[in-house]
Amino acid sequence: MSQAEKIDPFDVALEQLRITAELLQLDSGIYEILKQPRRSLTVSIPVQMDDGTVTAFTGHRVQYNDARGPCKGGIRYHPGVTLGEVKALAAWMTWKCAVMDIPFGGGKGGVVCDPKNMSIREKEKMTRKYASLLHDFIGPYRDVPAPDVYTDPQTMAWIADTYSQRVGHMVPEVITGKPLSIGGSEGRSTSTARGCVFCIREAAELLRIPMKGASVVVQGFGNAGANAALIISEMGAKVVAASDSRGAVYSNEGINAQELVNHKAQTGSVVGFKGSKEISDEELLGLDCEILIPAALENVITAKNASNIKAKIISEAANGPTTPEADKILVEKKALLIPDILANAGGVMVSYLEWVQNLQKEHWTETNVNERLEDNMVASFKEVWTTSKNNDVSMRNAALMVGVGRVAEAIKTLGLWP
Ligand code: GLU
């Protein structure tokens, strides 16, 4: 979908930064620094495929800013990956970690590939080669990767192993989102979704929308979207529609989230779920519902479709799903949009807890992790809400003011050397 719109996500990130610089009356030198990533690395990753031929995949890793701590952010495997996209995602990670007030800067990685059409063996080879090429670029105090679209705990395990073999001992703290058996954190796999649902719950309370019976539309039924559907259903809300890259399904009666997860596990898609009606992606976005969760890729809610959206709360589990033009339309419609750098920050929040556990050689219980996640999400939500009210700006602009403001303060305090 991001490809169809042909909007460079980095242009979106820069436009958001421009608006924020104006709101904060940011020092022009700091604005200049924040317009570019600190470092970008592009590598060619040759892999011998199962049929014997060699494919050279292009991979990127961008370290946007590290004034507040080591760069932090996921690695994405997708045919649509571009350097512009990775730069945007790395900028958003920088603001996101600052909104959560965790001691990380922002980074992101991506490999241009089609993981759905690769064997496990091909994916392992590509991952290990990519990790090896990144070896001197990443590190527990330099840049700590994590999962993103179409990468998972197994991918993280291959990277941890490749990195550690060169160091000579296991270094679990070089990466987060690992399997539990090698130092992963309890609660990490559901954390993005859980954090997103905590934000929705807080917003619903402020808008006096009861969670019980609230209708929910989930655009993108991957890790974040599917878990959000499960968690929000546990709170009594009613999932009425969901989509993935193959299509969208709808049922006015409500969709059992667990059964939909099982259906997708068996068939590879939400399409064909029993008792549901197939609808188009555009119909899905325009459904009459209380809550819309965009949980797929960038540039899904645009100037073309934003005016059709009827949801009262939009919570961005994905990064960059809404363009700046669409933002304006949603503000006019008085929809409450919880922006990505807050709504999906639960993932990196628990990544931070994983990193801390690894450094301290500890393993915390799921209850402990989820409680810390909830406390931090609620605190950040409240801070952004208050900033939004005090400055009479949207939640997006308020979150950017908090995030960019903290990064700017760190840069100012460190000073320019020499
Ligand atoms: N990929 C996730 C994000 O966009 C998680 C990043 C992390 O845990 O470092 O926030």
Side-chain angles (χ1 to χ4, degrees):
M1 225 173 282
S2 63
Q3 298 317 300
E5 290 293 333
K6 293 274 181 256
I7 299 168
D8 183 344
F10 194 53
D11 288 340
V12 173
L14 284 181
E15 173 60 7
Q16 292 172 346
L17 180 64
R18 187 192 63 73
I19 296 168
T20 315
E22 223 169 88
L23 287 169
L24 289 173
Q25 297 187 315
L26 204 63
D27 172 88
S28 61
I30 289 181
Y31 181 34
E32 189 64 23
I33 293 171
L34 292 180
K35 280 196 269 189
Q36 292 287 339
R38 170 159 279 238
R39 286 187 209 101
S40 306
L41 179 69
T42 296
V43 293
S44 167
I45 313 161
V47 176
Q48 183 158 42
M49 309 301 277
D50 291 349
D51 66 2
T53 60
V54 173
T55 303
F57 296 97
T58 299
H60 307 285
R61 182 79 192 168
V62 172
Q63 296 172 350
Y64 204 84
N65 188 280
D66 63 355
R68 289 176 45 88
C71 294
K72 184 86 193 79
I75 293 172
R76 174 173 296 198
Y77 288 172
H78 195 273
V81 164
T82 61
L83 182 58
E85 180 188 51
V86 181
K87 277 160 70 175
L89 292 163
W92 292 327
M93 282 309 305
T94 310
W95 322 143
K96 191 187 301 182
C97 292
V99 167
M100 294 309 292
D101 212 2
I102 51 178
F104 282 135
K108 200 82 175 198
V111 178
V112 190
C113 64
D114 188 3
K116 284 188 183 165
N117 289 315
M118 291 168 73
S119 68
I120 299 253
R121 206 179 126 79
E122 289 167 343
K123 279 193 272 194
E124 175 172 356
K125 286 201 226 173
M126 185 185 78
T127 302
R128 287 185 179 276
K129 196 66 157 256
Y130 175 59
S132 167
L133 290 162
L134 290 190
H135 185 87
D136 295 327
F137 209 62
I138 58 173
Y141 297 103
R142 189 172 289 172
D143 181 1
V144 184
D148 196 77
V149 173
Y150 295 139
T151 54
D152 58 15
Q154 179 61 68
T155 324
M156 302 303 109
W158 291 325
I159 297 176
D161 186 52
T162 309
Y163 183 89
S164 300
Q165 290 208 21
R166 252 173 79 183
V167 173
H169 58 84
M170 264 311 288
V171 188
E173 56 273 22
V174 70
I175 197 156
T176 60
K178 297 179 295 291
L180 290 175
S181 57
I182 57 158
S185 177
E186 305 288 342
R188 175 62 184 87
S189 57
T190 53
S191 57
T192 308
R194 197 172 295 281
C196 181
V197 175
F198 285 140
C199 287
I200 295 171
R201 186 194 67 193
E202 294 301 299
E205 203 177 307
L206 288 163
L207 300 185
R208 296 182 209 288
I209 299 172
M211 287 293 280
K212 207 168 166 44
S215 50
V216 183
V217 170
V218 182
Q219 186 265 335
F221 210 68
N223 174 279
N227 280 306
L230 290 169
I231 296 166
I232 209 160
S233 300
E234 278 166 23
M235 289 185 182
K238 181 170 88 167
V239 176
V240 291
S243 69
D244 59 27
S245 59
R246 302 201 190 151
V249 290
Y250 167 74
S251 164
N252 194 27
E253 310 301 310
I255 289 172
N256 181 304
Q258 186 57 57
E259 284 174 20
L260 187 59
V261 168
N262 299 346
H263 174 82
K264 179 155 179 160
Q266 277 157 18
T267 66
S269 170
V270 295
V271 175
F273 182 66
K274 68 169 173 15
S276 75
K277 187 177 125 195
E278 214 166 309
I279 57 172
S280 71
D281 290 340
E282 290 305 303
E283 282 171 316
L284 174 116
L285 290 177
L287 283 173
D288 203 354
C289 63
E290 261 92 37
I291 298 159
L292 170 63
I293 307 179
L297 296 170
E298 302 92 63
N299 302 329
V300 169
I301 304 178
T302 66
K304 281 194 206 130
N305 57 27
S307 51
N308 300 334
I309 289 181
K310 296 179 192 70
K312 298 185 184 76
I313 297 172
I314 301 154
S315 193
E316 298 182 327
N319 289 306
T322 313
T323 66
E325 294 76 28
D327 267 341
K328 283 189 212 140
I329 299 170
L330 295 174
V331 167
E332 276 162 30
K333 288 176 71 96
K334 303 215 183 313
L336 177 62
L337 183 139
I338 311 167
D340 46 7
I341 58 170
L342 171 65
N344 71 35
V348 76
M349 181 64 217
V350 175
S351 275
Y352 165 65
L353 299 180
E354 180 173 331
W355 184 69
V356 170
Q357 289 171 78
N358 293 157
L359 289 171
Q360 298 180 347
K361 311 292 171 220
E362 285 188 10
H363 188 79
W364 304 344
T365 63
E366 187 169 1
T367 312
N368 188 350
V369 170
N370 284 347
E371 276 172 11
R372 287 197 60 167
L373 172 66
E374 180 168 6
D375 288 352
N376 284 276
M377 290 307 304
V378 171
S380 295
F381 180 92
K382 288 192 170 146
E383 186 166 19
V384 171
W385 176 265
T386 309
T387 307
S388 139
K389 293 295 146 210
N390 289 349
N391 295 279
D392 194 20
V393 295
S394 67
M395 287 288 277
R396 162 110 49 224
N397 290 346
L400 285 162
M401 284 172 80
V402 173
V404 174
R406 283 196 178 128
V407 177
E409 186 59 34
I411 294 174
K412 197 172 119 199
T413 311
L414 290 167
L416 273 190
W417 180 82

